[in-house]
Amino acid sequence: GLWGVYDYVWAIPTQAEHALRRDVSQDVLELLETAANGVKLGLLDCKDSALQAFSFDAASGELKPRTDTELCLIVAASSRSAGPFMSRDLQLGECAQTDTKFKRWVIKTGG
């Protein structure tokens, strides 16, 4: 799955993991509207949609919507309490204007 770095971690299933977890969740990452700076994301049913298509650059650690490669998946600079956890907003931002620590992702495979 996809994991954030630093003090934030998300497990976003890859397609292979998604297939194995159908009994748990059928949700995948999706843009909530056409790709643009500040657009939020949600976990929605898996379907053949450009709003669910992303590219990962392993060298830079950037995850980009395929419809606009000037944008990256980023986390907000501030966090907030979410029960026993901490939460940060997840959205699209301009790659060139975003600090690396808010846009670098690592794909982990296996357990």
Side-chain angles (χ1 to χ4, degrees):
L2 174 69
W3 294 83
V5 293
Y6 302 96
D7 65 338
Y8 22 88
V9 178
W10 292 273
I12 300 172
T14 62
Q15 285 189 343
E17 291 170 329
H18 181 56
L20 296 174
R21 293 183 183 172
R22 288 201 176 271
D23 59 321
V24 176
S25 171
Q26 295 188 24
D27 297 337
V28 297
L29 194 64
E30 181 174 326
L31 299 173
L32 297 179
E33 55 189 284
T34 303
N37 190 30
V39 167
K40 306 277 188 223
L41 295 100
L43 292 174
L44 301 168
D45 288 341
C46 183
K47 59 186 173 210
D48 185 19
S49 168
L51 298 175
Q52 294 180 351
F54 297 86
S55 297
F56 179 68
D57 181 334
S60 69
E62 295 174 344
L63 189 65
K64 301 178 177 190
R66 290 192 180 165
T67 57
D68 188 338
T69 58
E70 298 297 314
L71 300 171
C72 294
L73 180 64
I74 66 170
V75 296
S78 62
S79 59
R80 64 185 175 283
S81 179
F85 306 101
M86 295 302 290
S87 176
R88 292 178 185 255
D89 289 339
L90 186 62
Q91 64 188 40
L92 292 182
E94 295 179 25
C95 295
Q97 306 301 319
T98 302
D99 189 315
T100 301
K101 69 182 179 180
F102 300 118
K103 66 177 181 176
R104 188 172 192 313
W105 300 91
V106 176
I107 302 290
K108 295 181 97 175
T109 58

